Each structure stands twice: as C-alpha cells, then as structure tokens.
Amino acid sequence: MSEPVLPDGVERREFDGTERLATRGDPVYGEPTDGEWRAWNPNRSKLGAMLELGLDTGLAGGETVLYLGAASGTTVSHVADFAGPTYAVEFAARPVRDLLDAADSRDQLFPLLKDARKPETYAHVVESDVDVVIQDVATRGQARVALENGRFLADDGRLLLAVKARSEDVTREPAAVFEAVREDLSEGYEVLEANRLEPYHADHLGIVARPR
C-alpha cells in the first residue's frame, strides 16, 4: 500500500494506542474521540478505506462536495469536517433523521431527502461546478448514477465512486461487474485510478475519475 495523500483537516492521530485517520468535529456514530478529534473508521466508510489504501483522491480540503448515498451520515460527516459546502443526498427517510442530527453542528452540511437516480429533483438546490462528487449508492446502475450526476461536476472536478458488486449484479463475479461499470463510466469519465477496497470492504471497488 502507498502512503495516503490526506486532505487538509484530515490527520493521523492515536486513539487507544492505534494510529488512525481523524477529523475535527462532533462524534456521530460512537467513534473514539480525543478532544476535538474523532477517529475515522475505514471499515464503516468507503472513502475512509480509499484514503487508507493510498488512492489519490485529489481531495485537498475546502472543496464543494456532492455526496450521493449519505445514509445516516457516517462518512459525509467526516467529509463536512474538512470540506466546504457539502450536499448530502439520501433516499431513505429513516437515516435522514440521523443525518439531520449530524448536520446540527456542521453549518456546511446540507441534507437532501432525494433519490440520487433523479438528479433533476435537486438540481435547483445543488450549485453547479462542484469540485467533487462522492458516490456510495448501493443500487443497480451505479455507473449511470455517476453519469447523470456529472452535470454538477466542474470540468476539472473528481468523481470518487465506491462500486458495490453485489448491488450491481449478485450473480456475476465481482471482477466482471467492476469491468462492466468501468466500461459504462467511460461514456463520461476517464478513470484515473481503481483499487479493490479489501480488507475493509469485501467486493467493493474504489474509483477515482475525472470528466471527459
């Protein structure tokens, strides 16, 4: 594994004798804390795993972010700790209640109860030319979701995509699923880097891409 390139606002700090990624912010999911710092668990965060595995995410800190598949806020709360305006799209009402709690202490975090497969429903809220689209949506057609939401991404922006093979097609080998998703993505993106997310997440692929 290569040494991860960390954005400003993300550091390696020691928690209970173990060095871990951390951001500054109020705790969200029972993670260990040390003063104002909170541990970032890569076993619960695809983006955290990408950073741990050394993928060059291009994140520097302060970016405008569109986060697709925010769930209850585990990862997007860490993102909002170091990023700029962070739009958090989640389809299910129950986790959005937890997401709202995470946003209480994060003025730059904007929860949206919307379907990431229908970006037209939040196009009036999300600013154009966001710096980063982060996607963790467990559904069929994950490449299509990324392509449809490419409308929000700046020309020099980045897509950080976590592909879940079993959500795409449970009957196929993950390697075949990942290859198909990469081929579909090529309609609108150039893949810069891709890496399996083991040992943190089984049958997941992390992709860093930019618009064509």
Side-chain angles (χ1 to χ4, degrees):
M1 297 180 190
S2 58
E3 184 66 23
V5 178
L6 302 179
D8 288 343
V10 181
E11 294 186 6
R12 286 195 168 277
R13 300 183 70 87
E14 191 170 292
F15 297 87
D16 301 323
T18 303
E19 190 179 79
R20 301 173 61 177
L21 296 177
T23 62
R24 284 191 181 96
D26 289 344
V28 169
Y29 53 99
E31 67 275 25
T33 59
D34 179 15
E36 62 185 354
W37 291 90
R38 50 193 289 252
W40 190 348
N41 186 349
N43 292 294
R44 297 187 61 173
S45 169
K46 315 306 189 310
L47 180 60
M50 291 170 74
L51 290 171
E52 283 283 12
L53 292 168
L55 271 75
D56 184 6
T57 63
L59 291 169
E63 295 92 350
T64 301
V65 175
L66 172 60
Y67 193 104
L68 307 175
S72 58
T74 297
T75 297
V76 76
S77 61
H78 284 291
V79 172
D81 286 345
F82 68 81
T86 303
Y87 300 94
V89 175
E90 173 53 44
F91 178 66
R94 176 61 191 90
V96 166
R97 292 201 288 271
D98 294 331
L99 182 58
L100 288 168
D101 289 340
D104 278 345
S105 61
R106 296 172 172 86
D107 293 340
Q108 71 275 36
L109 178 56
F110 305 105
L112 300 172
L113 180 58
K114 299 291 184 180
D115 187 341
R117 296 170 297 182
K118 300 176 180 178
E120 67 278 3
T121 63
Y122 46 88
H124 63 294
V125 178
V126 177
E127 58 193 88
S128 58
D129 295 336
V130 302
D131 299 305
V132 185
V133 171
I134 302 173
Q135 181 179 322
D136 181 12
V137 178
T139 185
R140 282 183 180 270
Q142 292 166 80
R144 180 51 52 190
V145 172
L147 290 165
E148 291 291 335
N149 282 274
R151 70 182 70 186
F152 301 111
L153 195 56
D155 290 343
D156 59 349
R158 291 284 180 101
L159 168 71
L160 306 179
L161 171 62
V163 181
K164 185 177 182 180
R166 300 306 179 188
S167 293
E168 195 70 37
D169 188 341
V170 73
T171 67
R172 298 176 69 191
E173 286 298 315
V177 172
F178 297 148
E179 184 59 34
V181 169
R182 290 186 59 161
E183 183 176 343
D184 291 343
L185 273 181
S186 67
E187 180 182 325
Y189 292 96
E190 177 189 357
V191 174
L192 302 175
E193 192 172 2
N195 199 69
R196 296 282 289 258
L197 297 185
E198 284 88 357
Y200 302 107
H201 302 275
D203 300 332
H204 281 74
L205 182 72
I207 292 177
V208 181
R210 64 186 176 195
R212 285 192 181 279

